[in-house]
Each structure stands twice: as structure tokens, then as C-alpha cells.
Amino acid sequence: MIIRFYLLCLLINCVFGVFAWRKKKKEAVDRIITLTIVLHILCLVLWGGPYAFTLFTAVLLGLGVCEITRPVKEKSMPWIMIALVWGTVLFLHEPLLHYSIPLFLLTSVIAFAGKKEQVRSRYYLCGLILLVLVPCAVSLTAIYSMNCGWVIALVLLLQLNDGFGYHFGKSFGKTKIFKTISPNKSLEGYLFGLIGLVAGMVLLYSFIPVLQGCSPAKASLLAAYLFIFGNAGDLLFSAVKRKLEIKDFGHILPGHGGILDRFDNILFAAPVLYFMLQGW
């Protein structure tokens, strides 16, 4: 399954890479190169087993904390240690993860509705790290422990949604719908992203059979959920960036910015997906 996922994503990256190269979009080409490197790392981690994947999510969490604390000039290391300890507690005591979901959603809403001063405060920083980033990273690890195929499904669907939305939205997007939060997002981009997500669902029934045996109703619910929460995650961190008055969280990933700029939708979609899968 991992090999098929790798080959499929490599093919998709090649197609988007040619598309970007012909359109002479350097940023898009850089984006594809970065995605290809990340793909190799992710596949090695998936193949490496639970310990490797847990280490991977811990590194993502640590880098994410660094990116959040840097704009408000907080020392990163104490926050990283607190986040890792809290993440360990949540992972070992699963009921606490259940109770964190309402607070996770409330903290996310404040990013959109709160004033700039609130989002830049140390209190909100604490909430964003402990109530959003940590539950997201722990949920992703928990999903892998259930079945690594669901992590593959999550990544594939959201990357197809993101890839179609980005590349075709750049070319055909005219109707701007989030001018304040994310001015580059367009209605056309979201529609193309939805097409990419549906194509991913077909692939998960055929080439990478994660969804075999899953009813059409459940598959439709999964697609709708990922479309809403995946894009909401992207908008959430865009809203945080606007209120922190920064363009990118970092520069570690050319074409994307920081770790949170790349993994925002995957992380944000993980908590509720984890609880959905428990009911299946």
C-alpha cells in the first residue's frame, strides 16, 4: 500500500510539475520539488512503523511550536517541552483527547473572531499550542496506530484537494471569497479542489484500496468532512498569520513557507477524523 501511495503521489507531482513549468511559475515548481522531498520522508516514516511515525509527528509539533512562538518573540524551547509533555499525556490517556475537542474548536474560532491583540497575547499562544497543535499531532499519531492506511487516505485526499485548488485556482480563479483572511483563495480554486478530492476517493476504492468495504454513505461523509475541515485548517492558520502580521510561518520549505503552512490542513483535520474512525 505504501509503495502504491508513493508511486501515485510521484506521478501526481510530475503532472503538476510539468503544468507549473509550462506556465513558467517558479513558485509552483519550487512547491512541487519540496512536496517530492517531503513525500520521500513521509513514505520512509510510514514504512518505519509506530515509533518512527510518532517521532515524525513530534518533530512536526516541535517545529510548529517554533513557528508560532517566533513572531511574538517567545522562547521556543520551554514551549516545545511543555507541548511534548502534554502530547505524551494525551496519547497515554485517550479520554483526555476526547474532552479536548470542544476547546480545540473554540480556540480555532477565536483565531477568526478575536481581535489582533487577543491572538497576539501569550494566553492565546498557550491555547493555540496546547489546545490545537498538540491534539492535532496526537490525533494524527493515534490514527496511524489504528491503521496507517487512514493516514495515507488523509494525506492523499487533502493533497489532491490542495494541489487541484492551488494550481487550477491560480490559473482560473477569479471569484475571491476570503479577501481579508486569504486573498489568494477563490471559489474556482475550491471547486477544483473538490474535484481533486473526489478523484482521490475513486483512487482509494481502486488503486490504493483503503476504502474497500466502506459504504458510499460513509465515503461521502468522509469526503465532505475533509473538504470542510481541511480547508478550514488552511484558513485558520492564514487568519493567525494575518493577525500576527507575517506572510509565512517560516522558510524551511521552499514554495510553501513553514511547516504549518504545509501541514496545516492535515493536522487540523486529524482530531475529528480520529473520532469518526472510532465509530466506524
Side-chain angles (χ1 to χ4, degrees), residues 197-241:
L197 195 147
V198 171
M201 297 297 290
V202 174
L203 290 167
L204 290 173
Y205 267 110
S206 53
F207 187 69
I208 306 174
V210 175
L211 294 180
Q212 278 191 359
C214 183
S215 69
K218 287 184 176 180
S220 299
L221 178 63
L222 176 65
Y225 161 74
L226 290 180
F227 181 73
I228 293 170
F229 277 81
N231 288 306
D234 182 51
L235 289 174
L236 165 69
F237 287 102
S238 292
V240 172
K241 284 190 293 184

Coordinates of all heavy atoms in Angstrom, one line a residue, residues 197-241:
L197 N -10.4 16.1 -4.7 CA -10.8 15.2 -3.6 C -11.7 14.0 -4.0 O -11.4 12.9 -3.6 CB -11.5 16.0 -2.5 CG -11.7 15.4 -1.1 CD1 -11.7 16.5 -0.1 CD2 -13.0 14.7 -1.0
V198 N -12.6 14.3 -4.9 CA -13.4 13.2 -5.4 C -12.6 12.2 -6.2 O -12.8 11.0 -6.1 CB -14.6 13.8 -6.3 CG1 -15.3 12.6 -7.0 CG2 -15.5 14.6 -5.5
A199 N -11.6 12.7 -7.0 CA -10.7 11.8 -7.7 C -9.9 10.9 -6.7 O -9.7 9.8 -7.0 CB -9.8 12.6 -8.6
G200 N -9.5 11.5 -5.6 CA -8.8 10.8 -4.6 C -9.7 9.7 -4.0 O -9.2 8.6 -3.7
M201 N -11.0 9.9 -3.8 CA -11.9 8.9 -3.3 C -11.9 7.7 -4.2 O -11.9 6.6 -3.8 CB -13.3 9.5 -3.1 CG -13.4 10.6 -2.1 SD -12.9 10.1 -0.4 CE -14.3 9.1 0.0
V202 N -12.0 8.0 -5.5 CA -12.0 6.9 -6.5 C -10.7 6.1 -6.4 O -10.8 4.9 -6.5 CB -12.2 7.5 -7.9 CG1 -12.0 6.4 -9.0 CG2 -13.5 8.2 -8.1
L203 N -9.6 6.8 -6.3 CA -8.3 6.1 -6.2 C -8.2 5.2 -4.9 O -7.6 4.1 -4.9 CB -7.2 7.1 -6.2 CG -6.9 7.8 -7.5 CD1 -6.0 8.9 -7.4 CD2 -6.4 6.8 -8.6
L204 N -8.9 5.7 -3.9 CA -8.9 4.9 -2.6 C -9.8 3.7 -2.6 O -9.8 2.9 -1.7 CB -9.2 5.8 -1.4 CG -8.2 6.9 -1.1 CD1 -8.7 7.9 0.0 CD2 -6.9 6.2 -0.6
Y205 N -10.7 3.7 -3.6 CA -11.5 2.5 -3.8 C -10.9 1.5 -4.8 O -11.2 0.3 -4.8 CB -12.9 2.9 -4.4 CG -13.9 3.1 -3.3 CD1 -14.4 4.4 -3.1 CD2 -14.5 2.1 -2.6 CE1 -15.4 4.6 -2.1 CE2 -15.5 2.3 -1.7 CZ -15.9 3.6 -1.4 OH -16.9 3.8 -0.5
S206 N -9.9 2.0 -5.5 CA -9.3 1.1 -6.6 C -7.8 0.9 -6.4 O -7.4 -0.2 -6.0 CB -9.6 1.8 -8.0 OG -9.2 3.1 -8.0
F207 N -7.0 1.9 -6.8 CA -5.5 1.7 -6.8 C -4.9 1.5 -5.4 O -4.0 0.7 -5.2 CB -4.9 2.9 -7.5 CG -3.4 2.7 -7.7 CD1 -3.0 1.8 -8.7 CD2 -2.5 3.5 -7.0 CE1 -1.6 1.6 -8.9 CE2 -1.1 3.3 -7.3 CZ -0.7 2.4 -8.2
I208 N -5.4 2.3 -4.4 CA -5.0 2.1 -3.0 C -6.2 1.8 -2.2 O -7.0 2.7 -1.8 CB -4.3 3.4 -2.5 CG1 -3.2 3.9 -3.4 CG2 -3.8 3.2 -1.1 CD1 -2.6 5.2 -3.0
P209 N -6.5 0.5 -2.0 CA -7.9 0.1 -1.6 C -8.1 0.3 -0.1 O -8.6 -0.6 0.6 CB -7.9 -1.4 -1.9 CG -6.5 -1.8 -1.8 CD -5.7 -0.7 -2.3
V210 N -7.9 1.5 0.4 CA -8.2 1.8 1.8 C -9.7 1.8 2.1 O -10.1 1.4 3.2 CB -7.6 3.2 2.2 CG1 -8.0 3.6 3.6 CG2 -6.1 3.2 2.0
L211 N -10.5 2.2 1.1 CA -11.9 2.4 1.3 C -12.7 1.2 0.9 O -14.0 1.2 0.9 CB -12.4 3.6 0.6 CG -11.9 5.0 1.1 CD1 -12.5 6.1 0.3 CD2 -12.3 5.2 2.6
Q212 N -12.1 0.1 0.4 CA -12.8 -1.1 0.0 C -13.6 -1.6 1.2 O -13.0 -1.8 2.3 CB -11.9 -2.1 -0.5 CG -11.5 -1.9 -2.0 CD -10.8 -3.1 -2.6 OE1 -10.6 -4.1 -2.0 NE2 -10.4 -3.0 -3.9
G213 N -14.9 -1.8 1.0 CA -15.7 -2.3 2.1 C -16.4 -1.2 2.8 O -17.3 -1.4 3.6
C214 N -16.0 0.1 2.5 CA -16.7 1.3 3.1 C -17.9 1.7 2.3 O -17.8 1.8 1.0 CB -15.6 2.4 3.2 SG -16.3 3.9 4.0
S215 N -19.0 1.9 2.9 CA -20.2 2.2 2.2 C -20.1 3.6 1.5 O -19.4 4.4 2.0 CB -21.4 2.2 3.1 OG -21.3 3.3 4.0
P216 N -20.8 3.8 0.4 CA -20.8 5.1 -0.3 C -21.2 6.2 0.7 O -20.7 7.3 0.6 CB -21.8 4.9 -1.4 CG -21.8 3.5 -1.7 CD -21.6 2.8 -0.4
A217 N -22.2 5.9 1.6 CA -22.6 7.0 2.5 C -21.5 7.4 3.4 O -21.2 8.6 3.6 CB -23.8 6.5 3.4
K218 N -20.7 6.5 4.0 CA -19.6 6.8 4.8 C -18.5 7.5 4.0 O -17.8 8.4 4.5 CB -19.0 5.5 5.5 CG -19.9 5.0 6.6 CD -19.3 3.8 7.2 CE -20.1 3.2 8.4 NZ -19.5 2.1 9.1
A219 N -18.2 7.0 2.8 CA -17.2 7.7 2.0 C -17.6 9.1 1.7 O -16.7 10.0 1.7 CB -17.0 6.9 0.7
S220 N -18.9 9.4 1.4 CA -19.3 10.7 1.1 C -19.2 11.6 2.4 O -18.8 12.8 2.3 CB -20.8 10.7 0.7 OG -21.0 9.9 -0.5
L221 N -19.5 11.0 3.5 CA -19.3 11.8 4.8 C -17.9 12.1 5.0 O -17.5 13.2 5.4 CB -19.9 10.9 6.0 CG -19.7 11.5 7.4 CD1 -20.5 12.8 7.5 CD2 -20.2 10.5 8.4
L222 N -17.0 11.2 4.7 CA -15.5 11.4 4.9 C -15.1 12.5 3.9 O -14.3 13.4 4.3 CB -14.8 10.1 4.6 CG -13.2 10.2 4.6 CD1 -12.7 10.5 6.0 CD2 -12.6 8.9 4.1
A223 N -15.5 12.4 2.7 CA -15.1 13.5 1.7 C -15.6 14.8 2.1 O -14.8 15.8 2.1 CB -15.7 13.1 0.3
A224 N -16.9 14.9 2.6 CA -17.4 16.2 3.0 C -16.7 16.8 4.2 O -16.3 18.0 4.2 CB -18.9 16.1 3.3
Y225 N -16.4 15.9 5.1 CA -15.7 16.3 6.3 C -14.3 16.8 6.0 O -13.9 17.9 6.5 CB -15.6 15.1 7.3 CG -14.5 15.4 8.4 CD1 -14.7 16.3 9.4 CD2 -13.3 14.7 8.3 CE1 -13.7 16.5 10.3 CE2 -12.3 15.0 9.2 CZ -12.5 15.9 10.2 OH -11.5 16.1 11.1
L226 N -13.5 16.1 5.2 CA -12.2 16.5 4.9 C -12.2 17.8 4.0 O -11.3 18.6 4.2 CB -11.4 15.4 4.1 CG -11.1 14.2 5.0 CD1 -10.4 13.1 4.1 CD2 -10.3 14.5 6.2
F227 N -13.1 17.9 3.2 CA -13.2 19.2 2.4 C -13.4 20.4 3.3 O -12.8 21.4 3.1 CB -14.4 19.1 1.4 CG -14.5 20.3 0.5 CD1 -13.6 20.5 -0.5 CD2 -15.5 21.2 0.7 CE1 -13.7 21.7 -1.3 CE2 -15.7 22.3 -0.1 CZ -14.7 22.5 -1.1
I228 N -14.3 20.2 4.3 CA -14.6 21.3 5.2 C -13.5 21.6 6.1 O -13.0 22.7 6.2 CB -15.9 21.1 5.9 CG1 -17.1 21.0 5.0 CG2 -16.2 22.1 7.0 CD1 -18.4 20.5 5.6
F229 N -13.0 20.6 6.8 CA -12.1 20.8 7.9 C -10.6 21.0 7.3 O -9.8 21.7 7.9 CB -12.1 19.6 8.9 CG -13.1 19.8 9.9 CD1 -14.4 19.5 9.7 CD2 -12.8 20.3 11.2 CE1 -15.4 19.6 10.6 CE2 -13.8 20.4 12.1 CZ -15.1 20.1 11.9
G230 N -10.3 20.4 6.2 CA -9.0 20.6 5.6 C -8.9 22.0 5.1 O -7.8 22.7 5.4
N231 N -9.9 22.6 4.5 CA -9.8 24.0 4.0 C -9.9 24.9 5.2 O -9.3 26.0 5.2 CB -10.9 24.2 3.0 CG -10.6 23.6 1.7 OD1 -9.6 23.8 1.1 ND2 -11.6 22.8 1.2
A232 N -10.7 24.5 6.3 CA -10.8 25.3 7.5 C -9.4 25.5 8.2 O -9.1 26.5 8.7 CB -11.8 24.8 8.4
G233 N -8.7 24.4 8.2 CA -7.3 24.4 8.8 C -6.4 25.4 8.1 O -5.7 26.1 8.7
D234 N -6.5 25.4 6.7 CA -5.7 26.3 5.9 C -6.1 27.8 6.3 O -5.3 28.6 6.5 CB -5.9 26.0 4.5 CG -5.1 26.9 3.6 OD1 -3.9 27.0 3.8 OD2 -5.6 27.5 2.6
L235 N -7.4 28.0 6.4 CA -7.9 29.4 6.7 C -7.6 29.8 8.1 O -7.3 30.9 8.4 CB -9.4 29.4 6.4 CG -9.9 29.4 5.0 CD1 -11.4 29.3 5.0 CD2 -9.4 30.6 4.2
L236 N -7.6 28.8 9.0 CA -7.3 29.1 10.4 C -5.9 29.7 10.5 O -5.7 30.8 11.1 CB -7.4 27.8 11.3 CG -6.8 27.9 12.7 CD1 -7.6 28.9 13.6 CD2 -6.7 26.5 13.3
F237 N -4.9 29.0 10.0 CA -3.5 29.4 10.1 C -3.3 30.7 9.3 O -2.4 31.5 9.6 CB -2.6 28.3 9.8 CG -2.5 27.3 10.9 CD1 -3.2 26.1 10.8 CD2 -1.9 27.5 12.1 CE1 -3.2 25.1 11.8 CE2 -1.8 26.6 13.1 CZ -2.5 25.4 12.9
S238 N -4.1 30.9 8.2 CA -4.0 32.1 7.4 C -4.5 33.3 8.3 O -3.9 34.4 8.3 CB -4.8 32.0 6.2 OG -4.2 31.1 5.2
A239 N -5.5 33.1 9.1 CA -6.1 34.1 9.9 C -5.1 34.4 11.0 O -4.9 35.6 11.4 CB -7.4 33.6 10.5
V240 N -4.4 33.4 11.6 CA -3.4 33.6 12.6 C -2.3 34.5 12.0 O -1.8 35.4 12.7 CB -2.9 32.3 13.2 CG1 -1.7 32.5 14.1 CG2 -4.0 31.6 14.0
K241 N -1.8 34.1 10.8 CA -0.7 34.9 10.2 C -1.1 36.3 10.0 O -0.3 37.2 10.2 CB -0.3 34.2 8.9 CG 0.5 32.9 9.0 CD 1.0 32.5 7.7 CE -0.1 32.0 6.7 NZ 0.5 31.4 5.5

